[in-house]
Amino acid sequence: MFNEIYKKYNRKIYNFIYYKTGNEIISEELMQETFITLYEMRNIEEMSEKEIKKVLYTIAKNKIMNNNSSIKKRKEKLENNISELTDDIIINPESIINERETSNEIKDALNELTEMQRKVLVIIKSNGLSYKETAKLLNKSENEIKQLLHRAKNSFKRILENKYPEIAARYKHASKLKSIIILVLTAS
């Protein structure tokens, strides 16, 4: 019986979730979770088709709300982490560059990136989130996040090299990118 229900409703539930989230990966995950929850219900055999349909959409709606709540919590945690990073850096002044001009120039270079490139760069480099976590947070695919990060790093490097060659030389290695972003965050 469950297989029949799955075959009949999996596409409809996926489309419903996709309409609400706009994200293929999240829609696929939540659709699977919806059917797992239905499968775990004890009285599924006793339900009419109308009741099953109603239960499926209710479960899907709840999964969407839980997912949105999780994303909101993740965003709040991200904001708190940024605040904590700022506090940690202020406590350890040797870990930041004390040149205000450098901070302004770096901020200027970051502002030349697209908004999405800037977000991805800050989220991944200063908060250490994975591509998957960042993708979920920004409702993008992992591949889109990888592309955005790659383009952001290249654009940022090019901007620094063209506008601020001294700074570019100082931060030549990619491993120092995190320091640059933290510097800018603490100066904000």
Side-chain angles (χ1 to χ4, degrees):
M1 179 172 180
F2 180 79
N3 289 339
E4 293 169 15
I5 295 169
Y6 182 81
K7 286 177 187 175
K8 184 171 184 174
Y9 291 105
N10 75 330
R11 202 75 205 136
K12 293 175 183 176
I13 295 298
Y14 172 87
N15 289 338
F16 171 73
I17 296 170
Y18 183 79
Y19 175 76
K20 298 288 187 182
T21 65
N23 184 298
E24 291 176 15
I25 295 170
I26 291 172
S27 298
E28 185 67 33
E29 286 179 23
L30 295 180
M31 189 254 318
Q32 294 298 330
E33 289 177 20
T34 298
F35 280 96
I36 289 169
T37 302
L38 181 70
Y39 182 79
E40 292 171 345
M41 294 178 73
R42 295 175 194 265
N43 61 345
I44 190 172
E45 302 287 331
E46 300 165 8
M47 293 180 171
S48 69
E49 188 170 331
K50 188 176 180 180
E51 289 173 318
I52 290 172
K53 183 177 177 181
K54 182 179 177 184
V55 167
L56 272 172
Y57 280 93
T58 301
I59 293 169
K61 185 180 77 166
N62 289 338
K63 296 287 181 189
I64 292 165
M65 289 189 314
N66 289 343
N67 182 64
N68 291 343
S69 174
S70 173
I71 289 172
K72 284 179 187 175
K73 287 177 185 174
R74 180 65 103 171
K75 284 180 182 179
E76 289 171 7
K77 185 177 178 183
L78 212 65
E79 290 169 2
N80 290 337
N81 287 346
I82 290 172
S83 294
E84 288 173 15
L85 278 173
T86 303
D87 294 343
D88 290 346
I89 289 171
I90 291 170
I91 292 169
N92 300 313
E94 68 276 358
S95 68
I96 64 170
I97 299 170
N98 292 323
E99 301 173 32
R100 189 163 204 69
E101 287 179 11
T102 302
S103 174
N104 290 336
E105 291 164 346
I106 291 169
K107 204 181 293 185
D108 180 52
L110 278 172
N111 285 332
E112 290 194 33
L113 299 175
T114 67
E115 181 182 351
M116 191 55 69
Q117 286 176 339
R118 204 171 32 252
K119 280 183 182 178
V120 169
L121 199 60
V122 169
I123 289 170
I124 291 176
K125 290 300 177 183
S126 73
N127 291 299
L129 292 185
S130 68
Y131 294 129
K132 185 175 183 175
E133 292 169 320
T134 305
K136 193 170 185 177
L137 187 68
L138 298 176
N139 286 330
K140 300 274 184 198
S141 71
E142 283 186 60
N143 284 337
E144 287 176 302
I145 295 300
K146 289 176 185 177
Q147 287 177 344
L148 279 165
L149 182 62
H150 178 75
R151 289 179 185 150
K153 285 194 232 179
N154 287 339
S155 295
F156 186 68
K157 182 180 175 187
R158 193 172 44 257
I159 292 165
L160 283 179
E161 288 171 347
N162 292 336
K163 289 180 99 175
Y164 312 108
E166 291 175 10
I167 295 172
R170 198 178 319 155
Y171 295 103
K172 193 173 186 176
H173 302 286
S175 62
K176 294 189 178 181
L177 187 58
K178 183 175 180 177
S179 301
I180 294 172
I181 294 168
I182 290 173
L183 170 70
V184 172
L185 292 174
T186 58
S188 298

